[in-house]
Amino acid sequence: MKKLAVTMKLEMSIPDDWELVKTSTGVDVIKLPNNQFLDLTFEPLFAADPEDTWTSTDDDTFLNDVLDLVESEEVTYEIRQDN
C-alpha cells in the first residue's frame, strides 16, 4: 500500500468577529456569529471525468472506506490581523 500525504494551506480575509475555538478533542474550528462553527477540513470529492464537475458522494459506504484509509490528519489554523 502506498502513502498519500496531503498538505492544506488556505488564507482567507474573515470578519473580525470570527474566532478560533478548540473542540473537546483539541481540534481547532472557527466560531462564527449566532453559535455556528466552521471546519474547513476538506471532504473527498469525486467525478466520473477529471474535467467534469466534482461532487461529494452519496455512497456512504464507499466514502467511509476512503476515510478509513486516513492514518492521521493535521490541520492548523491561525488568524492574523491585517496590517
Side-chain angles (χ1 to χ4, degrees):
M1 175 97 32
K2 298 177 184 178
K3 291 197 182 265
L4 172 66
V6 177
T7 302
M8 293 179 54
K9 181 176 180 178
L10 174 68
E11 290 189 18
M12 300 170 60
S13 294
I14 60 172
D16 289 335
D17 57 353
W18 289 22
E19 60 184 284
L20 293 178
V21 297
K22 288 199 181 292
T23 66
S24 61
T25 59
V27 175
D28 287 329
V29 294
I30 301 165
K31 184 175 190 262
L32 307 175
N34 302 322
N35 289 322
Q36 290 184 312
F37 297 87
L38 173 63
D39 181 355
L40 291 172
T41 306
F42 78 98
E43 174 182 341
L45 299 176
F46 302 90
D49 178 326
E51 304 304 322
D52 204 357
T53 302
W54 292 77
T55 62
S56 60
T57 181
D58 291 332
D59 184 345
D60 287 341
T61 300
F62 178 68
L63 180 58
N64 286 333
D65 288 345
V66 170
L67 294 176
D68 284 344
L69 297 173
V70 176
E71 294 178 11
S72 66
E73 178 180 337
E74 183 177 333
V75 178
T76 303
Y77 294 92
E78 177 187 0
I79 294 178
R80 294 178 294 179
Q81 299 298 320
D82 289 337
N83 291 332

